[in-house]
Amino acid sequence: MTGICALVITLAATYFESIRGSWSAWLVNTLDKLGLVRKPSQLRITEVYPINFWSMNDEIAIQRSLIFGLMLACFAMVVSVHSKYKASTSLYSGSGFICGSLAFATYKPMLGIACMVIGCVILIFIQHKARQ
């Protein structure tokens, strides 16, 4: 489930990043219409203050969701390798690793290929150790 969630989040983040330039503040405006966020009033005086962690705009929201998706992908891949190391009989450990690698591939294709190659090497090493 973690790998699937990571894949969905990174797909959504990369899609929103691709359309962000055409619709300025589309994501924040949509969330404002749904009542999930509140935009500052246009009538107040403009203030200059440093950006804090809770400041939100489209770019920050997309970046944070992409980072969260990639962290979930790392977690899914680590759990998959760990379950293979512990000789778990579950069939879903491989799908977690594949979904995690695909999440990286949606962000950067070469990074996804590198994750798959590194994962294959680790799994071959685990299989070799298990046979000895």
Side-chain angles (χ1 to χ4, degrees):
M1 289 303 294
T2 306
I4 293 170
C5 290
L7 184 58
V8 169
I9 290 171
T10 54
L11 280 172
T14 52
Y15 174 72
F16 285 132
E17 179 63 31
S18 69
I19 66 170
R20 184 177 62 86
S22 59
W23 297 333
S24 180
W26 175 82
L27 185 60
V28 174
N29 288 336
T30 303
L31 293 176
D32 182 38
K33 288 177 187 174
L34 294 173
L36 299 174
V37 297
R38 185 173 41 119
K39 292 193 316 186
S41 172
Q42 298 293 334
L43 302 175
R44 68 181 194 157
I45 298 173
T46 305
E47 300 174 11
V48 177
Y49 54 91
I51 295 176
N52 63 12
F53 181 77
W54 301 109
S55 296
M56 192 63 63
N57 60 21
D58 281 357
E59 184 178 0
I60 292 173
I62 290 169
Q63 286 177 353
R64 287 183 185 166
S65 63
L66 183 64
I67 290 170
F68 181 67
L70 293 177
M71 287 185 341
L72 281 177
C74 284
F75 182 73
M77 291 168 48
V78 167
V79 167
S80 174
V81 170
H82 179 69
S83 68
K84 186 68 175 175
Y85 178 74
K86 291 292 186 180
S88 175
T89 58
S90 174
L91 297 174
Y92 300 109
S93 64
S95 62
F97 191 86
I98 290 170
C99 287
S101 297
L102 286 175
F104 276 105
T106 58
Y107 175 61
K108 297 274 186 192
M110 290 303 291
L111 187 59
I113 292 171
C115 287
M116 279 295 220
V117 169
I118 290 170
C120 288
V121 169
I122 290 171
L123 292 178
I124 289 171
F125 181 72
I126 290 172
Q127 287 284 354
H128 181 70
K129 285 293 221 180
R131 289 184 186 160
Q132 290 181 354

